[in-house]
């Protein structure tokens, strides 16, 4: 039975950490895959992201604890008294992380305690992309306001998703736009593109993935070593779905997905520009969607952040992602940015 903790008058403890070894010692298994359902809430993700993508910024990690309930905020120092989320473009979400199943009152108290701890370190904190499906953004906003911070909340990005709702691929496909279905029908008839989906990590497959990405319309990959480690890690856990498409034996499209806890995450996709007329990326997407629906039987497919037009053909819902900018008003370094925000709001209301 899950433990439900209600609000108490017991004093909570909070700690500040500047390294992941200290976090591991306190958290134990509470930030591992066995406890945290979301990839982006796990210590393994955060450690590798910092080591391979954000190592030029020092980690600044705050946690609060009371009777087995824990809340964590993984931040980075960005300047004197300025902190940002330990996250980048690879993140679908960033949010405070809780361990255990606790009520909203306890979560609010834990976060407020983190906010009080941060008052001794920071005058400004900015976090994104924060979801709000489970009131994550709202709860964080309330907690910091209760601790005396001034909070600005704004839309930062969009997240396109598909709720499968028990449909098989054929049922889903029949509801797609006619232009998309016609394109797939015409290109598939030519039988030029072959596809396969790998669950295990193989170096030669990863080389094909990199070859596609490097010759695609995409900008240069931020950190291929991070993605490779992620692919290896998720393959070991049985969660990797690496899709590859070929024409005459040459890789022309690639997609990097993970599947876990009934959800498929689309991390990366690319195709070679010279092969566009054969629509290998679209044909590979068909294979990937069919696989996760009819074989993995997922409940949700998540296309990550970004408002790319093509996502609307495949997805059916859009969720907002937020940026929270938090100022501690008792610090003189906050006065000018708070004043600028205030004046901007006044002008906007005219």
């Amino acid at each position: 039975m899950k433990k439900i903790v209600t609000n108490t008058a017991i004093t909570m403890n909070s700690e500040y950490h500047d390294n992941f070894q200290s976090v591991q010692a306190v958290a134990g298994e509470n930030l591992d895959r066995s406890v945290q359902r979301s990839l982006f809430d796990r210590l393994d993700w955060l450690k590798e992201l910092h080591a391979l993508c954000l190592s030029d910024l020092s980690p600044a990690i705050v946690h609060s604890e009371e009777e087995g309930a824990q809340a964590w905020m993984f931040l980075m120092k960005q300047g004197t008294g300025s902190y940002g989320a330990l996250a980048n473009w690879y993140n679908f979400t960033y949010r405070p992380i809780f361990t255990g199943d606790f009520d909203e009152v306890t979560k609010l108290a834990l976060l407020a305690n983190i906010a009080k701890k941060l008052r001794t370190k920071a005058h400004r904190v900015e976090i994104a992309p924060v979801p709000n499906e489970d009131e994550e953004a709202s709860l964080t906003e309330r907690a910091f306001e209760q601790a005396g911070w001034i909070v600005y909340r704004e839309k930062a990005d969009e997240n396109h998703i598909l709720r499968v709702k028990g449909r098989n691929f054929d049922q889903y496909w029949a509801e797609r736009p006619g232009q998309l279905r016609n394109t797939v029908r015409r290109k598939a008839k030519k039988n030029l593109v072959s596809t396969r989906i790998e669950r295990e990590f193989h170096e030669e497959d990863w080389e094909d993935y990199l070859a596609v990405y490097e010759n695609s319309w995409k900008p240069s990959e931020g950190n291929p070593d991070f993605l490779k480690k992620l692919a290896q890690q998720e393959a070991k856990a049985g969660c990797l779905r690496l899709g590859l498409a070929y024409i005459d034996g040459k890789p022309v499209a690639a997609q990097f997905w993970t599947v876990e806890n009934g959800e498929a995450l689309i991390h990366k996709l690319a195709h070679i520009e010279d092969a566009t007329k054969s629509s290998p990326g679209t044909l590979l997407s068909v294979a990937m969607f069919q696989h996760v629906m009819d074989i993995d039987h997922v409940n949700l497919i998540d296309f990550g952040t970004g408002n790319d037009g093509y996502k609307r053909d495949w997805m059916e819902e859009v969720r907002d992602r937020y940026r929270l900018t938090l100022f501690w008003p008792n610090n003189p370094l906050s006065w000018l940015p708070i004043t600028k925000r205030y004046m901007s709001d006044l002008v906007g209301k005219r």
Side-chain angles (χ1 to χ4, degrees), residues 1-6 66-69 99-103 106:
M1 180 179 296
K2 292 181 178 179
K3 178 183 178 183
I4 305 294
V5 178
T6 56
E66 185 264 327
E67 288 197 338
T99 65
D101 188 6
F102 305 100
D103 64 15
T106 299

Side-chain angles (χ1 to χ4, degrees), residues 170-241:
D170 288 342
Q171 291 169 326
Y172 158 78
W173 189 244
E175 299 169 355
R176 293 310 92 208
Q179 184 177 354
L180 177 62
R181 289 186 286 113
N182 288 335
T183 296
V184 169
R185 182 166 54 248
R186 285 188 291 105
K187 302 301 181 180
K189 278 184 179 179
K190 296 182 179 181
N191 203 30
L192 294 174
V193 179
S194 63
T195 63
R196 61 186 172 91
I197 299 169
E198 297 294 336
R199 292 170 174 250
E200 297 181 358
F201 182 90
H202 300 288
E203 287 288 346
E204 56 269 28
D205 294 334
W206 193 251
E207 290 299 321
D208 286 349
Y209 166 84
L210 291 178
V212 170
Y213 205 94
E214 289 168 0
N215 291 283
S216 72
W217 80 101
K218 296 276 189 174
S220 59
E221 181 55 67
N223 196 299
D225 289 340
F226 172 75
L227 284 183
K228 182 177 181 180
K229 281 205 168 186
L230 178 63
Q232 292 171 325
Q233 169 190 293
E234 295 307 298
K236 187 179 293 186
C239 301
L240 177 67
R241 303 293 183 269

Side-chain angles (χ1 to χ4, degrees), residues 282-297:
T282 302
L283 294 174
L284 181 56
S285 289
V286 168
M288 298 292 287
F289 274 75
Q290 187 170 25
H291 186 98
V292 300
M293 286 183 178
D294 294 348
I295 296 177
D296 293 316
H297 302 291

Side-chain angles (χ1 to χ4, degrees), residues 270-284:
H271 65 263
I272 291 177
E273 281 296 304
D274 291 346
T276 299
K277 62 183 180 181
S278 299
S279 300
T282 302
L283 294 174
L284 181 56

Side-chain angles (χ1 to χ4, degrees), residues 64-80:
S64 179
E65 183 171 358
E66 185 264 327
E67 288 197 338
Q70 291 182 350
W72 294 84
M73 283 190 73
F74 285 79
L75 304 169
M76 301 180 298
K77 297 178 182 178
Q78 295 183 329
T80 303

